Amino acid sequence: MEKTLLNIISKLRRTSGPLDPNALDRIIRARNREVAGPVRHVAKKNLLPLYQDIKAHQPQTWASWDISPELEARLVRTLQVKPRRTASGVATVTVLTKPWPCSSACLYCPNDVRMPKSYLHDEPACQRAERNWFDPYLQVTARLRTLHQMGHVTDKVELIVLGGTWSDYPDAYQIWYMHELFRALNDMSSEAAVEHEAQARRERYRSAGIANERDDLAAWAAKAQARVTAGQATYNQTVRELYACGTSANAQSSRDNAIFAQIKTSGAKQATGVSGCPGSPHLVSSTPDAHATAQTPRTGWAAVATWQTATFSQLEALQRANETAEHRCVGLVVETRPDAVTPQRLATLRRLGCTKLQMGIQSLDERILAANHRGIGTDRMREAFELARIFGFKTHAHFMTNLLGATPESDAADYLRMVDDPAFKPDEVKLYPCALVDGTGLVDRWHRGTWRPYTENELVNLLADDMLATPPFTRISRMIRDISAHDIMTGNKKVNLRQLVDQELSRRGAPVQEIRTREIAFGAAAGDQLTLAEVAYETANTHEVFLQWVRDDNRIAGFLRLSLPRAQYVAEHACDLPIHPGEAMIREVHVYGRVAGLHQGGENAQHRGLGSKLIERACDIARNEGYSAINVISAVGTRGYYRARGFTDNGLYQQRQL
């Protein structure tokens, strides 16, 4: 591989930019043809880690190559894997909280007892989390290492914390989890420190027996899966036979007996089922009680919980350190339900460092919500949006099509209401079809014929309609869940669903205003090619202005979300709000293009002053509307950026007088 690397470097010396994929592929294929026998062939994904290793551990060899900073930048660009990972301007790191029950019992939602509610253990992020015992420090450091090896700049990080309903976890765990996220980012400046801490943590988890509990549960489910797959028994019969032959006599008997007790008390209804395939089993349940019972007796997790605690003062010390760290948190997202959104919880989330909320909306049709046992009405959803918006949070709604009782026509009307009704109008949307997973209550409806999956044509046309209905201030972040195809009993299993939708939109020839479609990504963004456009719209409690830098082709290079709270709403809710009359709010500033390192000029849109100009224009608008001050819901890692632009620390926000 070293010779291949030298061939690439030689080629780069004769060019002015990075090699295009075809040129790189020709070099790799030419080298592979030269290699004979059992020697492993060269793969692109291994070349950049090799270069990084030689630079770090063979300085004399690296020095002999005479690599200038400019040449190294082009080499990294050439060898970078999955460039889209940081094309939106930040390095995104997704982590999961530990397995935990949920108070809801939605008809479509799986309960994998190895995971937090609604997640399945063979989803990519879930696999990474389980390998790291759901430890936030281990998850972050491992992911950042991987991104670095793939050639990505990782000094501006958006942390996305998934795992059902964040506020359902104990308060001490919430503070500890955030404490460890920031600790991981701060430690990333020292590889030796990270490795020492990671080894110590792994040993601590092993000593608690968590690895054995995880492996035992997987083996337990695998045995049940094998019996069911072979047609030897129903799932419940298989479980009973396993216990009858002594499975419950092992070291994990308290946990196993608890699971079995839940199954026995389920009566005629089968409370649990196994989906997946041999070698990748998971125990799922259609009831929250089964999930809760299965989690509670794990003695290893109980032992670990005694040291998974931290104080706010400890967390805030790490946050202050992160303001100037080499890897800074520029966004922090948590997942919750609308009925868990209260002023007190939002204030706590701000202290934790959060800037965005993902909320499970699923539908705004009361009939469909009731049919799917959602347990949350639209009035509570409306209140959650109002509170999140007035607190300055970005709102990221989860919205599902093809739920029980829905039709493509009703889904289209439902989505249009969400993006058009002033009560909602989310900033981002996860728009995905309902996936039928074994063990959920929806399976019975499918067997009875009261629910069916949409055909591919119905689904693609519906999602295309939704894309066209999406306003220019909303971003559709994704269209599928990362559920493996073998876990989906019926319905869409295509991971390129969004590509199919894009093809349908191209066929129609209709313009799409949704943000993700318009992101500038790797395109050029010279200042003289951009125009500052303003999109104003009303919500239930604010006047919003979406400021965007766009090219002539409507591609977007950056934006700002300005929120102007209505005076009457602020006055009526004064006791619950952290803001005062006459204060505007910047809810988000985002500049697109390939990630530029901190204090470095970007080759696309980043670090060209676009964000500063957006802020100044937002201040002008707020001042002209009669506001005396403007707040910004800054992330921990962007506090210095806003201080340099006239903002001062002011409680939960940073503020600038107008």
Side-chain angles (χ1 to χ4, degrees):
M1 283 200 300
E2 185 173 331
K3 183 171 182 181
T4 306
L5 193 56
L6 291 173
N7 290 341
I8 294 169
I9 292 172
S10 176
K11 181 71 172 178
L12 285 169
R13 293 186 194 278
R14 303 193 298 271
T15 62
S16 59
L19 300 184
D20 65 61
N22 291 332
L24 176 63
D25 185 58
R26 284 194 294 270
I27 294 174
I28 293 175
R29 285 192 286 110
R31 178 57 183 158
N32 280 332
R33 285 194 295 267
E34 297 173 3
V35 178
V39 179
R40 176 178 291 182
H41 286 193
V42 177
K44 175 187 174 181
K45 67 179 181 180
N46 298 324
L47 290 172
L48 187 56
L50 173 64
Y51 172 78
Q52 294 168 339
D53 182 73
I54 291 174
K55 182 179 179 180
H57 302 108
Q58 302 179 43
Q60 290 183 333
T61 298
W62 183 78
S64 70
W65 293 353
D66 191 24
I67 305 290
S68 67
E70 184 273 337
L71 177 59
E72 183 175 56
R74 290 192 290 122
L75 176 64
V76 171
R77 281 282 311 278
T78 297
L79 300 180
Q80 188 182 62
V81 179
K82 297 183 178 180
R84 182 74 200 185
R85 285 277 189 266
T86 51
S88 291
V90 298
T92 299
V93 174
T94 299
V95 296
L96 260 76
T97 48
K98 65 183 178 182
W100 201 257
C102 173
S103 56
S104 294
C106 303
L107 201 65
Y108 47 82
C109 190
N111 281 330
D112 183 338
V113 297
R114 292 166 61 178
M115 289 292 130
K117 177 72 181 293
S118 87
Y119 290 92
L120 301 177
H121 77 268
D122 45 8
E123 297 179 53
C126 297
Q127 292 180 24
R128 294 194 297 266
E130 190 173 37
R131 284 196 301 268
N132 289 291
W133 292 284
F134 302 93
D135 185 283
Y137 185 97
L138 295 177
Q139 291 181 72
V140 169
T141 54
R143 190 59 179 157
L144 287 179
R145 281 171 167 171
T146 298
L147 288 172
H148 175 68
Q149 291 171 354
M150 293 166 65
H152 295 276
V153 178
T154 59
D155 46 7
K156 290 182 287 189
V157 181
E158 180 184 44
L159 297 167
I160 300 178
V161 182
L162 301 182
T165 304
W166 170 259
S167 58
D168 281 351
Y169 286 86
D171 292 344
Y173 178 79
Q174 293 179 36
I175 300 172
W176 171 82
Y177 200 93
M178 296 303 183
H179 178 275
E180 296 307 299
L181 292 179
F182 284 101
R183 182 178 177 183
L185 292 179
N186 295 347
D187 282 0
M188 280 301 295
S189 59
S190 170
E191 179 66 25
V194 168
E195 186 56 35
H196 179 269
E197 178 65 23
Q199 290 181 358
R201 283 173 185 251
R202 293 188 188 102
E203 182 56 38
R204 197 170 187 182
Y205 282 112
R206 291 189 188 99
S207 298
I210 289 177
N212 293 332
E213 290 187 356
R214 179 189 65 194
D215 295 342
D216 286 350
L217 189 57
W220 185 85
K223 291 178 182 179
Q225 173 68 54
R227 298 297 301 275
V228 173
T229 301
Q232 298 173 351
T234 65
Y235 180 74
N236 280 355
Q237 290 171 339
T238 304
V239 171
R240 296 173 198 277
E241 290 176 16
L242 285 170
Y243 278 91
C245 67
T247 303
S248 60
N250 63 25
Q252 306 301 321
S253 60
S254 62
R255 183 206 63 230
D256 292 340
N257 281 328
I259 298 173
F260 188 44
Q262 176 61 33
I263 294 171
K264 287 194 296 184
T265 58
S266 65
K269 183 178 70 173
Q270 181 171 318
T272 59
V274 173
S275 67
C277 60
S280 180
H282 47 257
L283 179 66
V284 298
S285 163
S286 60
T287 64
D289 290 341
H291 191 270
T293 307
Q295 298 301 336
T296 304
R298 298 193 188 184
T299 56
W301 282 112
V304 166
T306 62
W307 53 265
Q308 287 184 335
T309 61
T311 65
F312 263 117
S313 61
Q314 292 171 325
L315 168 62
E316 288 162 356
L318 289 179
Q319 290 176 336
R320 288 191 294 271
N322 189 251
E323 292 177 14
T324 55
E326 293 182 13
H327 299 266
R328 300 179 195 174
C329 176
V330 299
L332 181 50
V333 189
V334 299
E335 192 175 32
T336 189
R337 299 190 315 270
D339 58 327
V341 175
T342 65
Q344 295 74 25
R345 284 171 174 163
L346 292 179
T348 298
L349 286 173
R350 278 305 297 142
R351 290 192 67 187
L352 294 173
C354 297
T355 57
K356 183 191 296 186
L357 294 183
Q358 290 194 24
M359 292 189 291
I361 301 302
Q362 321 311 358
S363 175
L364 295 176
D365 188 320
E366 296 284 1
R367 176 183 58 86
I368 292 175
L369 292 171
N372 289 272
H373 303 173
R374 181 64 180 140
I376 305 172
T378 55
D379 287 344
R380 192 64 187 86
M381 294 177 185
R382 182 180 296 106
E383 182 182 357
F385 271 95
E386 290 180 0
L387 285 172
R389 192 182 298 114
I390 207 72
F391 268 76
F393 287 94
K394 278 77 71 178
T395 55
H396 193 163
H398 296 191
F399 209 78
M400 295 179 69
T401 66
N402 203 181
L403 290 171
L404 178 66
T407 65
E409 294 75 21
S410 70
D411 275 335
D414 203 14
Y415 181 80
L416 181 60
R417 177 187 175 190
M418 184 181 68
V419 298
D420 191 56
D421 190 329
F424 307 106
K425 294 190 175 181
D427 302 314
E428 291 190 60
V429 178
K430 282 185 179 178
L431 174 62
Y432 44 76
C434 178
L436 184 66
V437 177
D438 199 2
T440 62
L442 191 59
V443 173
D444 177 62
R445 275 64 171 183
W446 176 51
H447 287 314
R448 285 192 283 172
T450 57
W451 178 88
R452 69 165 181 88
Y454 294 161
T455 66
E456 181 177 301
N457 185 60
E458 288 175 321
L459 185 58
V460 168
N461 277 284
L462 169 61
L463 295 178
D465 290 342
D466 289 346
M467 287 276 283
L468 293 175
T470 304
F473 52 81
T474 299
R475 183 179 191 268
I476 299 179
S477 59
R478 65 187 313 162
M479 285 190 177
I480 59 168
R481 275 279 304 271
D482 280 333
I483 297 177
S484 299
H486 64 255
D487 288 330
I488 299 176
M489 298 179 66
T490 186
N492 176 69
K493 299 183 181 183
K494 293 187 176 180
V495 296
N496 67 330
L497 178 60
R498 187 167 193 143
Q499 183 180 21
L500 299 178
V501 174
D502 288 340
Q503 291 171 355
E504 170 60 21
L505 290 168
S506 296
R507 187 191 67 79
R508 297 186 189 185
V512 177
Q513 297 298 314
E514 177 268 332
I515 293 176
R516 191 176 185 272
T517 302
R518 298 189 294 127
E519 288 174 10
I520 206 163
F522 310 121
D528 58 0
Q529 297 176 332
L530 298 174
T531 301
L532 182 57
E534 300 176 8
V535 180
Y537 61 99
E538 304 298 324
T539 73
N541 57 344
T542 65
H543 172 72
E544 300 282 320
V545 183
F546 182 74
L547 306 170
Q548 56 178 341
W549 287 111
V550 293
R551 295 191 314 202
D552 290 342
D553 59 0
N554 204 30
R555 302 284 281 184
I556 184 170
F559 65 82
L560 180 149
R561 299 184 188 277
L562 172 64
S563 188
L564 303 174
R566 300 193 191 287
Q568 182 178 350
Y569 182 92
V570 175
E572 291 174 352
H573 299 81
C575 295
D576 294 328
L577 302 183
I579 66 170
H580 300 94
E583 295 179 357
M585 178 75 73
I586 294 175
R587 297 193 297 114
E588 183 176 15
V589 178
H590 196 116
V591 177
Y592 286 110
R594 193 184 303 274
V595 171
L598 292 167
H599 313 300
Q600 299 176 20
E603 61 185 66
N604 294 133
Q606 290 201 335
H607 296 193
R608 292 175 177 263
L610 298 181
S612 296
K613 293 176 181 176
L614 288 169
I615 291 170
E616 293 307 315
R617 177 56 185 152
C619 289
D620 287 343
I621 293 173
R623 185 184 301 109
N624 292 338
E625 292 293 328
Y627 290 82
S628 59
I630 187 166
N631 298 312
V632 60
I633 184 169
S634 55
V636 168
T638 62
R639 290 173 180 171
Y641 173 86
Y642 288 107
R643 289 185 191 122
R645 285 151 184 82
F647 289 81
T648 58
D649 298 350
N650 185 48
L652 301 180
Y653 308 98
Q654 290 181 288
Q655 187 177 91
R656 175 170 154 179
Q657 296 299 313
L658 298 176

